[in-house]
Amino acid sequence: TVTVIVDETTTLAQLKTITNSTVYKAKFDTVAPATANTTLEGTAKEITAVLNKFSTPYAGKLEVTGKYTLADLVALNKLLHDDAVITLDNDVNLSGKSADIAAALSNVTGYAGKITLTDKPTVAELEAINKVATEAIKIPTDTALTGTATQILLALKDVEGHKGNITVSGTPTSTAAAD
């Protein structure tokens, strides 16, 4: 096994050279890179190809350049630690199943592309997508949603055209001030 220590000067090209020169899977010295200033830059396919040669998840910053697909982002996110942060140079419109889009955007910050969900999402999937989406999200209009009032509000934040049933669970509380 090759152990790689990532610092602020580490590039994607260097990691590619290291992983191409060994038949073993490499691993990062720690789950998190040595510095928060490390940013690996490249296309989603390039970054995925390099990180796929590591046995440990990457937890640093990534800058995805060029075009990408939903499948590219899903594959990339599978190789990342929850602390990883992805910045997308281009906000490509995404359309697909709710679980795939939630997985694709799980480490992304400030996604500004259009999102169209092709199946009926859960409240949790909509909440996850809404955490990063800055544009309207289209869902099938007859999607039924169930959750607490807070969950429903977070789930519907950027959704447009929802006409499905909503079931609010939990015990209502009053926050009215006394006179």
Side-chain angles (χ1 to χ4, degrees):
T1 301
V2 174
T3 301
V4 178
I5 298 172
V6 177
D7 65 23
E8 68 274 356
T9 62
T10 303
T11 66
L12 187 65
Q14 291 169 326
L15 292 179
K16 183 177 181 179
T17 300
I18 292 166
T19 57
N20 284 344
S21 65
T22 182
V23 294
Y24 301 105
K25 277 229 177 197
K27 71 175 190 168
F28 293 109
D29 183 44
T30 60
V31 173
T35 177
N37 295 327
T38 302
T39 301
L40 299 181
E41 183 179 331
T43 67
K45 287 184 189 304
E46 290 169 337
I47 295 170
T48 300
V50 170
L51 295 183
N52 214 10
K53 295 180 181 181
F54 282 83
S55 61
T56 52
Y58 181 74
K61 296 176 185 175
L62 301 169
E63 184 174 340
V64 174
T65 60
K67 294 188 180 202
Y68 53 84
T69 65
L70 177 60
D72 292 338
L73 290 181
V74 169
L76 176 57
N77 272 285
K78 287 180 180 178
L79 302 171
L80 302 177
H81 187 273
D82 290 343
D83 293 333
V85 177
I86 301 173
T87 302
L88 303 170
D89 281 356
N90 299 303
D91 291 310
V92 174
N93 295 338
L94 297 175
S95 178
K97 293 183 177 184
S98 305
D100 291 339
I101 291 181
L105 298 178
S106 64
N107 289 85
V108 173
T109 60
Y111 175 76
K114 294 181 181 178
I115 297 172
T116 302
L117 304 180
T118 58
D119 63 348
K120 295 178 181 182
T122 65
V123 168
E125 289 166 339
L126 277 176
E127 281 185 83
I129 294 167
N130 263 309
K131 283 182 183 177
V132 297
T134 60
E135 295 293 320
I137 300 167
K138 293 182 181 180
I139 66 172
T141 57
D142 62 340
T143 300
L145 298 172
T146 300
T148 66
T150 301
Q151 290 170 327
I152 298 292
L153 288 172
L154 290 172
L156 292 177
K157 182 176 75 87
D158 288 321
V159 171
E160 66 179 35
H162 179 264
K163 295 179 184 174
N165 292 330
I166 295 175
T167 304
V168 179
S169 61
T171 305
T173 59
S174 173
T175 57
D179 288 7

